[in-house]
Amino acid sequence: KNEVEQSPQNLTAQEGEFITINCSYSVGISALHWLQQHPGGGIVSLFMLSSGKKKHGRLIATINIQEKHSSLHITASHPRDSAVYICAIFGNQFYFGTGTSLTVIP
Amino acid sequence: GAGVSQSPRYKVAKRGQDVALRCDPISGHVSLFWYQQALGQGPEFLTYFQNEAQLDKSGLPSDRFFAERPEGSVSTLKIQRTQQEDSAVYLCASSIGTSWADTQYFGPGTRLTVL
């Protein structure tokens, strides 16, 4: 049983497209993080959410605590956005999704 | 240093060998986390330190895994009698405060391959 489910697992988009990555979880949480991992690279924390919505540049993250669901949106996608996006939740311990591999084609 | 550093970046060990993986967190960061990431999977929590105190080690997969942070800064993850299933990337992260919800800053990871 996975406490965190992400969809889709893989996503290919044309440059400029609007992208949505979804995260659903099954336990009570105090915070949810969206992380970005480039191939062969380290992990960067994009957002920490406990409620509502956050925006940073072309990235928008939302969370619905009642529905136990979060989404990460990328507007005007660019090839440099190609990476694995990981949803991580913090309740009584840490749980990570398996990631969504995004490829943006020029 | 500007970020979290880990060494070595790559480690190849023969089955049965002991290995030690080092993490240098951001200076002044109180919290330090170790994660294990198998190929194609998301990270999995191993252990957590607040300063020198190991407050949670529930994710360590067996008693062959041991972590320490004796002076509340640098941390070492030691794996004894390595097995092939230990092959993974070991990630270290630090955060400035004591809340598990604080932003974590990740190191580049150590890729361990056990032959």
Side-chain angles (χ1 to χ4, degrees):
Chain A
K1 175 183 179 293
N2 293 324
E3 287 77 10
V4 183
E5 299 279 355
Q6 285 186 238
S7 63
Q9 280 192 304
N10 297 285
L11 180 58
T12 300
Q14 289 292 132
E15 183 173 358
E17 283 186 7
F18 180 85
I19 288 162
T20 296
I21 299 170
N22 295 297
C23 173
S24 296
Y25 53 92
S26 58
V27 298
I29 66 169
S30 58
L32 180 146
H33 285 230
W34 280 102
L35 309 171
Q36 180 192 58
Q37 186 171 31
H38 282 279
I43 292 176
V44 175
S45 179
L46 298 175
F47 292 103
M48 190 280 288
L49 294 164
S50 54
S51 65
K53 175 181 175 179
K54 286 190 177 179
K55 183 175 188 292
H56 181 69
R58 294 180 295 105
L59 301 177
I60 304 166
T62 63
I63 188 169
N64 186 317
I65 296 291
Q66 287 74 29
E67 294 186 3
K68 293 187 166 62
H69 181 269
S70 175
S71 293
L72 176 68
H73 306 286
I74 305 175
T75 61
S77 58
H78 190 276
R80 65 174 173 267
D81 298 327
S82 298
V84 175
Y85 292 84
I86 301 171
C87 172
I89 62 172
F90 303 90
N92 61 336
Q93 66 166 284
F94 296 89
Y95 300 100
F96 290 78
T98 55
T100 294
S101 179
L102 170 65
T103 302
V104 180
I105 300 170
Chain B
V4 178
S5 60
Q6 292 185 245
S7 60
R9 290 293 310 276
Y10 302 91
K11 177 69 179 177
V12 178
K14 291 183 179 178
R15 190 163 58 93
Q17 280 185 335
D18 298 348
V19 298
L21 312 180
R22 177 187 168 109
C23 172
D24 285 79
I26 293 173
S27 178
H29 277 199
V30 170
S31 297
L32 185 145
F33 307 82
W34 282 100
Y35 301 97
Q36 180 190 59
Q37 186 175 23
L39 188 64
Q41 302 296 314
E44 291 193 6
F45 170 77
L46 294 177
T47 187
Y48 162 67
F49 289 86
Q50 193 176 108
N51 296 308
E52 70 279 3
Q54 189 175 20
L55 298 189
D56 190 329
K57 55 182 180 179
S58 61
L60 296 176
S62 77
D63 59 7
R64 296 185 295 104
F65 286 71
F66 171 77
E68 60 182 5
R69 193 185 185 198
E71 297 179 358
S73 55
V74 172
S75 177
T76 304
L77 176 66
K78 297 179 179 177
I79 309 173
Q80 297 177 322
R81 305 181 302 281
T82 52
Q83 304 293 314
Q84 285 187 319
E85 62 263 29
D86 300 335
S87 296
V89 175
Y90 290 85
L91 296 164
C92 173
S94 69
S95 65
I96 195 166
T98 58
S99 170
W100 288 28
D102 288 339
T103 297
Q104 294 185 26
Y105 298 84
F106 286 80
T110 294
R111 182 177 296 279
L112 172 65
T113 303
V114 181
L115 302 176

